[in-house]
């Protein structure tokens, strides 16, 4: 399965958007499923259902950082490279999807003031672009990482 297919399958299992994207990459990054899902759990629905930055973007950035990020605070070139990668990914997401803001992607006029997640019903999946967005974000990152590997090999 592609990362896009894995992310979409995770979303249909009931994981939030961030968990779905991040979880698709976690095993190859050495994270077990429970740790990955707990780490990404608060970022879904636009940061804890506040409908801010789309959880698919958060998950994509978290996975990108885990795959190609830096840990040494003095590694200025690696920091620059990481930020450049994140900017490429997020700008492409925004260009193709029209926004990186959950509220805008969902077409919501206002944000509910409730942390309660909606029930995952067939109607929920019909009215939400989220399954396609998690697939898109995971596929975008998968392509970015593949391009990075090709550059390393040459």
């Amino acid at each position: 399965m592609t990362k896009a297919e894995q992310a979409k399958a995770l979303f249909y299992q009931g994981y939030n958007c961030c968990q779905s994207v991040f979880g698709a990459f976690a095993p190859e990054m050495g994270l077990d499923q429970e740790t990955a899902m707990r780490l990404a759990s608060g970022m879904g629905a636009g940061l804890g259902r506040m409908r801010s930055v789309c959880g698919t973007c958060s998950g994509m950035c978290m996975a990108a950082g885990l795959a190609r990020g830096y840990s040494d605070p003095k590694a200025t070139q690696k920091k620059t490279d990481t930020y450049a990668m994140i900017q490429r990914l997020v700008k492409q997401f925004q260009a193709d999807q029209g926004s990186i803001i959950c509220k805008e992607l969902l077409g919501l006029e206002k944000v509910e003031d409730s942390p309660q997640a909606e029930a995952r019903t067939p109607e929920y999946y019909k009215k939400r672009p989220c399954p396609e967005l998690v697939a898109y974000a995971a596929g975008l990152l998968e392509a970015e990482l593949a391009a990075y590997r090709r550059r390393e090999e040459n």
Side-chain angles (χ1 to χ4, degrees):
M1 275 180 23
T2 66
K3 296 299 181 192
E5 293 166 335
Q6 289 175 33
K8 198 171 187 178
L10 288 168
F11 190 79
Y12 280 123
Q13 288 175 32
Y15 291 105
N16 73 37
C17 44
C18 185
Q19 289 172 311
S20 298
V21 175
F22 187 64
F25 291 89
E28 69 190 54
M29 308 296 173
L31 280 182
D32 63 273
Q33 180 89 354
E34 181 179 354
T35 301
M37 296 311 182
R38 291 181 68 170
L39 183 61
S41 65
M43 307 292 281
L47 303 174
R49 204 166 186 267
M50 292 174 56
R51 307 300 186 194
S52 183
V53 174
C54 176
T56 65
C57 288
S58 297
M60 178 175 65
C61 292
M62 289 171 63
L66 192 57
R68 298 283 177 233
Y70 66 95
S71 58
D72 180 355
K74 295 180 177 109
T76 55
Q77 185 57 54
K78 189 71 172 164
K79 182 186 280 190
T80 298
D81 293 345
T82 301
Y83 289 171
M85 173 183 55
I86 296 304
Q87 287 185 11
R88 274 192 310 277
L89 289 165
V90 173
K91 285 177 181 179
Q92 188 65 56
F93 185 98
Q94 185 169 24
D96 291 345
Q97 302 303 326
S99 182
I100 64 166
I101 304 300
C102 176
K103 175 185 168 189
E104 294 170 5
L105 292 164
L106 294 179
L108 300 175
E109 292 294 317
K110 63 179 186 169
V111 177
E112 295 175 35
D113 190 26
S114 170
Q116 181 64 45
E118 278 188 66
R120 295 289 183 93
T121 64
E123 292 74 35
Y124 172 91
Y125 291 112
K126 285 180 188 173
K127 70 179 181 178
R128 295 274 188 216
C130 306
E132 297 310 318
L133 292 173
V134 298
Y136 176 82
L140 186 61
L141 179 56
E142 184 173 38
E144 173 75 19
L145 295 177
Y148 183 87
R149 284 190 292 274
R150 284 191 301 274
R151 287 191 301 271
E152 275 189 331
E153 292 169 357
N154 294 327

